[in-house]
Amino acid sequence: MLILAPMQGLTELLFRRAFYRCFPGAFDYAISPFISLTHGNLRDAEKKLTDVLPQNNRDAMLLIPQILGYENAEFVDLANRLFDLGYREVNWNLGCPMRRVAHKHRGSGMLPYPDEIRSVLEYVLPRIKPSLSVKIRLGYYCADEIDAVVPVLNDFPLDNVTIHPRIGKQMYSGRPDLQKFQRVLPSVHHRVIYNGDVFSVADYKKIRSLFPSVNHVMIGRGALYNPMLPIQIRQQCPEDFPLSDKLQESFQNVPSIPYFIQSLMEDILQMDISHQAKGRKMKEYWCLLSRALPGTEARKRHVLHADRLEDIHRLILEMAK
Ligand SMILES: Cc1cc2nc3c(=O)[nH]c(=O)nc-3n(C[C@H](O)[C@H](O)[C@H](O)COP(=O)(O)O)c2cc1C
């Protein structure tokens, strides 16, 4: 399976819808960017629920919502609310590396405290209706923290465990620690999903050949650097993804990456936000998606220097054609 990684501000509904419209069948499903249980109330969560409401996701890929936080009662309320909306699985974020999050023992900041993880799981699991999966790193301060986390996870009936083999302190620098991942893998009793630095078909093949038992791979930045990547993986790895004739044909007829970028920009124009916010959003996506286009970096940077929304949009359209 190929899974689109959650990326706050990037793989939100807007992106998932445009992506699905252009490349249906590329990903099996997506994990939503996290919904935070901030400060023990659901105000932030309410706002974020818009992203996962089924009526908004009808024309987007299958989704599993993600929760960030440890507030037991709120966790249960939100998970059950998501179940009532139709979600049979929710994902718990134990990987977010941002300092202000991690310092409060949220995200990867909880990995040094396996007893706290146990206490949340003990409270939450018997009380929630959907099944639970978790997304973790190897640790926050050091990669050996996972050695004490895995036995805790093994004690609970989780759906699966996604492992991004970096530590929180690393943020996104350096490389995933594949040796540590390899050492940890046999000790995990749940289905493991690999995540981290799959930017090409060769990267995917490397992960599959190093870890043949791991046949679920989650891709984040790779899908923004090259939106065709999941389709290329499916086409070039028929042993993992036997393609029906129909899918084969549909992949041959997918629109080009420039068309996808144009289409995403059109959707941004339609959003109910200020001109300034639209311009910022276009630039954010452009920084990542423009890597898939020919042309020099200097020319692509023109977009970032433009101020007016019309200019930003026009420059993007000129280069994405
Ligand atoms: C801008 C950004 C936002 C992210 N937001 C989330 C998030 O909401 N939840 C989460 O579990 N991981 C989040 N991540 C981590 C990604 O899901 C993924 O684990 C990470 O990017 C490594 O995978 P990749 O190398 O395929 O991108 C985020 C990453 C980035 C770069």
Side-chain angles (χ1 to χ4, degrees):
M1 285 225 183
L2 292 179
I3 302 146
L4 176 63
M7 290 195 284
Q8 201 66 237
L10 292 173
T11 58
E12 56 194 28
L13 181 62
L14 166 93
F15 178 85
R16 297 195 306 271
R17 235 181 344 214
F19 196 95
Y20 186 75
R21 197 165 58 229
C22 291
F23 311 119
F27 281 110
D28 291 284
Y29 65 91
I31 305 281
S32 80
F34 66 75
I35 303 173
S36 174
L37 305 169
T38 335
H39 309 312
N41 70 52
L42 291 181
R43 216 181 40 207
D44 181 49
E46 284 295 333
K47 214 168 63 193
K48 291 273 183 65
L49 271 182
T50 316
D51 191 78
V52 302
L53 286 177
Q55 63 264 36
N56 298 337
N57 280 274
R58 221 167 280 140
D59 301 319
M61 60 191 92
L62 274 176
L63 189 66
I64 291 176
Q66 188 186 63
I67 297 177
L68 173 91
Y70 51 73
E71 291 81 353
N72 283 336
E74 286 79 7
F75 196 134
V76 170
D77 283 351
L78 180 56
N80 286 339
R81 176 107 183 258
L82 290 164
F83 181 88
D84 292 341
L85 288 172
Y87 292 106
R88 293 296 169 260
E89 178 184 332
V90 295
N91 183 267
W92 187 24
N93 180 324
L94 286 176
C96 181
M98 284 185 294
R99 259 167 68 97
R100 65 189 154 82
V101 170
H103 277 193
K104 293 180 194 145
H105 294 201
R106 297 174 198 278
S108 66
M110 199 183 260
L111 295 173
Y113 310 98
D115 288 347
E116 293 182 15
I117 297 176
R118 179 181 293 283
S119 146
V120 173
L121 292 174
E122 263 170 7
Y123 183 90
V124 161
L125 273 171
R127 293 173 174 83
I128 62 172
K129 292 186 259 181
S131 68
L132 188 71
S133 54
V134 299
K135 181 164 176 282
I136 64 175
R137 290 190 175 218
L138 296 176
Y140 182 68
Y141 298 106
C142 95
D144 290 339
E145 285 161 20
I146 195 170
D147 298 335
V149 171
V150 167
V152 173
L153 301 181
N154 284 345
D155 281 345
F156 294 92
L158 301 172
D159 198 274
N160 61 70
V161 178
T162 299
I163 303 178
H164 173 199
R166 281 190 169 89
I167 57 169
K169 278 280 191 189
Q170 253 183 295
M171 300 291 288
Y172 298 95
S173 66
R175 294 182 172 248
D177 185 346
L178 297 183
Q179 284 178 353
K180 181 70 190 180
F181 181 79
Q182 182 146 42
R183 283 199 298 275
V184 166
L185 192 53
S187 65
V188 187
H189 295 168
H190 302 290
R191 178 155 42 84
V192 171
I193 299 175
Y194 174 84
N195 168 236
D197 289 26
V198 174
F199 299 134
S200 64
V201 177
D203 291 338
Y204 172 85
K205 286 187 172 171
K206 180 175 152 195
I207 294 302
R208 287 288 289 126
S209 77
L210 284 175
F211 316 113
S213 68
V214 178
N215 54 15
H216 288 55
V217 173
M218 180 183 282
I219 300 177
R221 292 164 297 167
L224 282 124
Y225 299 159
N226 171 17
M228 290 290 283
L229 179 60
I231 290 183
Q232 289 165 351
I233 291 174
R234 283 177 192 274
Q235 286 174 324
Q236 292 175 45
C237 305
E239 59 293 351
D240 284 356
F241 303 103
L243 291 182
S244 64
D245 290 348
K246 204 167 145 224
L247 209 53
Q248 188 107 32
E249 196 186 316
S250 116
F251 283 166
Q252 265 152 16
N253 294 323
V254 292
S256 62
I257 292 176
Y259 178 87
F260 167 65
I261 296 177
Q262 291 168 21
S263 176
L264 181 68
M265 297 302 152
E266 283 303 320
D267 288 0
I268 294 176
L269 279 184
Q270 306 302 322
M271 286 175 85
D272 189 16
I273 52 176
S274 69
H275 270 41
Q276 258 187 338
K278 287 178 192 176
R280 272 200 305 273
K281 222 165 223 324
M282 284 186 181
K283 286 182 185 180
E284 271 162 24
Y285 281 113
W286 177 249
C287 281
L288 300 162
L289 291 168
S290 62
R291 292 186 184 215
L293 300 175
T296 64
E297 286 312 305
R299 181 157 181 260
K300 289 174 189 170
R301 269 200 300 277
H302 283 169
V303 171
L304 306 185
H305 299 313
D307 286 326
R308 292 172 50 228
L309 178 62
E310 298 72 27
D311 295 332
I312 299 168
H313 190 215
R314 176 180 50 77
L315 285 167
I316 290 178
L317 292 191
E318 274 171 25
M319 281 180 259
K321 66 179 174 197

